[in-house]
Amino acid sequence: MSEKIVWTAEAEAKLKDIPFFVRPFARKKIETFALENNFSPITVEVYDQAKKRFNKKFDQMKD
């Protein structure tokens, strides 16, 4: 994972909606999701897809 991951300005701005104390973790998860799915750059659409996937997993863990 030596390649630089590029974020669009819009996606980077959405990342700032995440609380600062979990932001590094969320960034890493979104970047991993993007790499696994060959998404580059990370756009708002990629951000939203990753967020939906992680929220779905989190919701399943709560049940």
Side-chain angles (χ1 to χ4, degrees), residues 7-56:
W7 288 66
T8 63
E10 295 84 5
E12 192 79 46
K14 282 198 72 140
L15 192 62
K16 292 182 178 161
D17 292 341
I18 297 173
F20 75 92
F21 54 90
V22 292
R23 201 174 296 151
F25 174 76
R27 175 186 283 275
K28 186 70 176 159
K29 293 293 280 182
I30 294 166
E31 289 176 349
T32 299
F33 171 80
L35 286 171
E36 288 173 350
N37 292 283
N38 297 315
F39 294 132
S40 183
I42 296 176
T43 61
V44 170
E45 290 79 14
V46 173
Y47 173 96
D48 288 340
Q49 285 180 30
K51 188 173 176 186
K52 282 180 191 171
R53 173 182 272 182
F54 302 132
N55 284 345
K56 189 181 297 184

